Amino acid sequence: MAIKVGTVFNYLQLPNVSKFAFVINKRQDGTFIQKGLFVYTKSSEGFLIGIIEEIVLLNEYFTDALTIKAFNNNDNPNILKGLFPSEDFEFAIAVVKCLGLIKFRDKDMKEIERVQRMSYPASPGKGVYIVEEDILNKFLGFDIKFGLNLGQVKVTNSEALINMNRLLNKHFAILSISGGGKSYLTSVLIEELLTRNKDFGTPSIILLDVHGEYLYLKDIPEFKDKVKIQDISYFQIGIPKLSAYSFKKYQEQISTVQLRELSKYIKKLRKERIKKNQYTLNDIIEEIENESDGNKSTKQALIGWLSELERLFLFGSQENPSLDKVVNNQEITIFNFQKEISIRKKQIIVDYICYRLFDLRRKNNIPPFLLVVEEAHQFCPEAAHSKALSKPIIEMLAREGRKFMACLCLISQRPKKLSTTALSQCNSKLVLNIKNPYDLKHLMDSSEAITKEYASMISSLGVGEMLLMGNAVNYPVFIDVRKRRYKSKSEEISLAQFCLNWQKKELK
Ligand SMILES: Nc1ncnc2c1ncn2[C@@H]1O[C@H](COP(=O)(O)OP(=O)(O)OP(=O)(O)O)[C@@H](O)[C@H]1O
Ligand SMILES: [Mg+2]
């Protein structure tokens, strides 16, 4: 039974095609009419669904300053109340933003056939009803059976069951100020993906964990076989996997002539080695040193570049870990960057991981994956002068990954500093609180769905409240992110407790 909450009426210039107003029924049986509630009315075109955008309280009695004076001056307001029941003059008006027209497949109004744009206003005098939960779920594009439960839809409190295919088919971004709840939301998403019924099909997750915030996942017994941690301290780039031209990424100043020389040595090594594809940077350096021919200064310069790379302790004869082995369906591999402070080294590693994963996926050597990049503005910055080594590959993944079922999740506290190319390819956006006007503007520039109204709502969101918009849902929807099922130990310790527990480490 549909709950009637009011009646459409003429208020200011409304109703028009995109908005209508209704007078809220005085006595609602337990239903509290709030901003954000989804309602519908029957217009001459069909079922018109909308969301309450504003609530206005009107009291004709108090529009006149003289009455207010009389009301306030009277020693005994009850006398005046008896004479003139001002409370009866108060009524509440809701202004509704129209979202679409629902065409039902059946008479019982259970199955939605399609949602159309409206072209005619609501009819004054018609009843307004609350949209029932199952219709709302279908209208928003939720997946009741297999969806990822990220929390509850605001106001209606129904579960936000996000369709995984729709979220991961195109890339997405998680954005907010520092402490807005991005990592928390990411953990919720990971929980949902890892606990999803294995018969539903779930991609592999690769997470670039800059601060070691996700290591606690390893200690959860339910995830024992699904979580793998890879410490970056042991990360090695396989030199045989690199062509001469990929060295240009690491050493920008290498000239074309030097590169041509380098490629000669690499070719030679590849032919010579008994154990093919097992050579290191030092082998290349040796090869150059042993070569009697060739321009001396080119050779010297090459040795210089390569030796500088060798000092990064990042390159070896084989890649470690083997990236084709770490990507498995419904498993997560966390690359822990916590101990690494050099931004250059971090970027080199991120670049290599992205490049290899994309290549392996293109050849279909690994299953579809979701690559989560924390602090994405460090690896794919907007500013040209930042010259992040990993920027081109992340932008390429953003542009082309979708075709190969390689999904990217970019997380950032500074959307303005994040590459517009990458951000605009993130079709779905999970936006928590953002206060900075420059960040909001950048977000509006990169996504037409973010209007001024949404921007102002985003700036007033609390911790754990998000706006989900884009491909994952049919209409932008506000969600209260659910609590994590599993907690990290560090999360439970307060600052005061940490201070009490802290002891200076003995220097050896
Ligand atoms: N949905 C939520 N429910 C309860 N607590 C939350 C929720 N979201 C975030 N928090 C709390 O807010 C704090 C900050 O969250 P989180 O670490 O996820 O922020 P962040 O956006 O990742 O910040 P940073 O940009 O600095 O990494 C955490 O202590 C977390 O416990
Ligand atoms: Mg975080």
Side-chain angles (χ1 to χ4, degrees):
M1 215 355 231
I3 302 170
K4 185 172 173 183
V5 288
T7 310
V8 180
F9 89 125
N10 280 105
Y11 171 66
L12 303 174
Q13 299 290 317
L14 303 178
N16 60 23
V17 177
S18 55
K19 282 183 186 182
F20 69 85
F22 71 92
V23 179
I24 301 174
N25 283 357
K26 271 254 153 104
R27 215 174 296 147
Q28 307 294 347
D29 308 318
T31 36
F32 185 50
I33 308 302
Q34 280 170 284
K35 187 174 163 176
L37 194 71
F38 291 88
V39 291
Y40 73 87
T41 177
K42 188 136 183 8
S43 80
S44 44
E45 285 184 298
F47 287 90
L48 179 59
I49 195 164
I51 184 167
I52 297 181
E53 200 178 54
E54 200 54 81
I55 294 182
V56 186
L57 277 184
L58 276 190
N59 194 329
E60 286 280 330
Y61 184 72
F62 288 115
T63 51
D64 180 7
L66 279 175
T67 359
I68 291 180
K69 193 175 166 200
F71 190 81
N72 288 341
N73 283 351
N74 204 306
D75 290 342
N76 188 354
N78 287 336
I79 298 175
L80 201 67
K81 262 193 190 164
L83 285 173
F84 211 97
S86 61
E87 276 164 22
D88 289 352
F89 270 66
E90 181 179 293
F91 55 99
I93 297 165
V95 179
V96 177
K97 184 170 127 192
C98 303
L99 299 175
L101 282 168
I102 301 185
K103 294 283 166 195
F104 288 101
R105 189 162 287 148
D106 48 350
K107 272 203 172 145
D108 303 339
M109 301 195 301
K110 291 277 178 234
E111 281 296 313
I112 297 180
E113 190 183 320
R114 66 202 138 95
V115 178
Q116 286 181 337
R117 271 178 182 271
M118 51 277 157
S119 55
Y120 202 74
S123 315
K126 288 274 187 209
V128 179
Y129 305 85
I130 291 184
V131 181
E132 281 154 58
E133 195 173 320
D134 53 338
I135 298 285
L136 182 66
N137 285 336
K138 285 175 195 157
F139 179 75
L140 292 173
F142 287 167
D143 182 352
I144 321 292
K145 277 191 192 155
F146 312 117
L148 308 173
N149 183 354
L150 296 191
Q152 291 186 318
V153 176
K154 268 203 158 301
V155 182
T156 64
N157 291 333
S158 51
E159 285 189 336
L161 297 162
I162 313 304
N163 184 315
M164 188 197 80
N165 291 328
R166 289 181 63 169
L167 180 67
L168 304 191
N169 264 353
K170 297 183 180 172
H171 313 295
F172 64 101
I174 301 180
L175 309 164
S176 85
I177 50 168
S178 172
K182 298 179 295 296
S183 305
Y184 195 99
L185 171 60
T186 311
S187 307
V188 170
L189 185 64
I190 293 170
E191 278 181 5
E192 284 297 310
L193 288 170
L194 294 186
T195 50
R196 207 169 123 89
N197 185 324
K198 72 177 192 330
D199 298 331
F200 297 168
T202 309
S204 166
I205 311 168
I206 295 108
L207 194 149
L208 308 180
D209 184 2
V210 183
H211 303 298
E213 288 171 283
Y214 299 89
L215 304 181
Y216 77 96
L217 287 168
K218 183 78 190 148
D219 303 327
I220 298 165
E222 286 88 329
F223 295 161
K224 207 176 89 216
D225 304 322
K226 293 184 176 172
V227 181
K228 294 196 182 80
I229 312 276
Q230 296 288 347
D231 196 323
I232 283 309
S233 322
Y234 306 110
F235 193 88
Q236 237 180 36
I237 293 175
I239 285 290
K241 295 253 185 307
L242 302 179
S243 71
Y245 288 89
S246 38
F247 282 91
K248 175 102 181 136
K249 276 192 296 199
Y250 306 135
Q251 296 288 18
E252 272 209 325
Q253 299 96 321
I254 291 192
S255 71
T256 336
V257 180
Q258 288 161 352
L259 273 184
R260 221 178 304 132
E261 275 291 291
L262 181 62
S263 116
K264 228 170 58 192
Y265 295 114
I266 290 180
K267 239 185 230 161
K268 211 166 154 199
L269 266 170
R270 282 185 180 166
K271 268 193 204 153
E272 264 175 26
R273 286 270 143 179
I274 312 160
K275 263 203 321 183
K276 231 178 171 184
N277 295 338
Q278 287 280 327
Y279 56 91
T280 62
L281 266 180
N282 269 333
D283 290 329
I284 306 180
I285 296 174
E286 243 173 57
E287 194 67 38
I288 301 173
E289 278 169 346
N290 294 341
E291 174 72 51
S292 46
D293 293 348
N295 184 314
K296 210 172 167 192
S297 63
T298 313
K299 279 172 29 182
Q300 280 311 316
L302 270 180
I303 291 172
W305 299 132
L306 297 180
S307 310
E308 201 261 343
L309 283 184
E310 180 66 11
R311 281 196 291 277
L312 292 175
F313 298 109
L314 262 183
F315 300 90
S317 62
Q318 274 179 322
E319 75 178 8
N320 181 49
S322 245
L323 288 168
D324 49 348
K325 302 218 170 70
V326 299
V327 187
N328 297 310
N329 276 334
Q330 211 176 21
E331 285 182 12
I332 180 169
T333 300
I334 300 168
F335 286 97
N336 177 16
F337 285 73
Q338 195 179 12
K339 290 184 204 143
E340 185 52 68
I341 40 170
S342 154
I343 183 76
R344 177 157 180 247
K345 262 173 103 169
K346 283 197 262 191
Q347 287 175 354
I348 290 181
I349 296 170
V350 170
D351 170 77
Y352 183 77
I353 293 174
C354 294
Y355 157 78
R356 282 280 291 147
L357 290 178
F358 188 45
D359 192 46
L360 287 165
R361 182 63 215 122
R362 242 187 335 199
K363 294 176 184 151
N364 206 16
N365 291 347
I366 52 172
F369 64 81
L370 163 67
L371 175 65
V372 184
V373 188
E374 269 274 3
E375 310 282 348
H377 52 274
Q378 281 187 16
F379 303 109
C380 192
E382 171 69 351
H385 60 80
S386 320
K387 284 220 179 94
L389 203 136
S390 43
K391 182 176 172 180
I393 184 71
I394 293 183
E395 286 188 341
M396 165 131 115
L397 256 172
R399 277 195 311 266
E400 297 184 21
R402 191 178 68 79
K403 295 164 203 144
F404 302 98
M405 295 194 174
C407 176
L408 200 57
C409 165
L410 299 178
I411 303 178
S412 176
Q413 47 175 265
R414 285 311 313 271
K416 180 157 170 37
K417 292 201 170 159
L418 188 59
S419 145
T420 323
T421 313
L423 189 57
S424 57
Q425 295 293 332
C426 290
N427 196 298
S428 299
K429 295 198 170 70
L430 288 72
V431 188
L432 298 124
N433 185 315
I434 296 181
K435 290 238 161 21
N436 188 317
Y438 296 108
D439 285 330
L440 281 171
K441 170 135 193 338
H442 190 67
L443 206 55
M444 280 160 77
D445 291 345
S446 71
S447 163
E448 59 196 43
I450 301 183
T451 57
K452 263 194 181 154
E453 273 168 24
Y454 279 119
S456 84
M457 285 194 256
I458 289 168
S459 65
S460 61
L461 289 174
V463 172
E465 294 176 337
M466 74 154 161
L467 171 65
L468 170 62
M469 61 200 328
N471 194 54
V473 279
N474 294 337
Y475 292 93
V477 54
F478 286 92
I479 294 171
D480 279 319
V481 178
R482 73 162 171 78
K483 293 271 170 290
R484 286 206 288 226
R485 277 193 211 111
Y486 308 98
K487 272 189 185 165
S488 65
K489 284 202 183 93
S490 62
E491 196 185 327
E492 289 162 12
I493 299 178
S494 68
L495 171 67
Q497 194 58 47
F498 198 92
C499 295
L500 287 172
N501 294 352
W502 194 81
Q503 277 177 350
K504 205 175 178 116
K505 279 184 195 163
E506 287 292 327
L507 287 177
K508 281 177 191 161

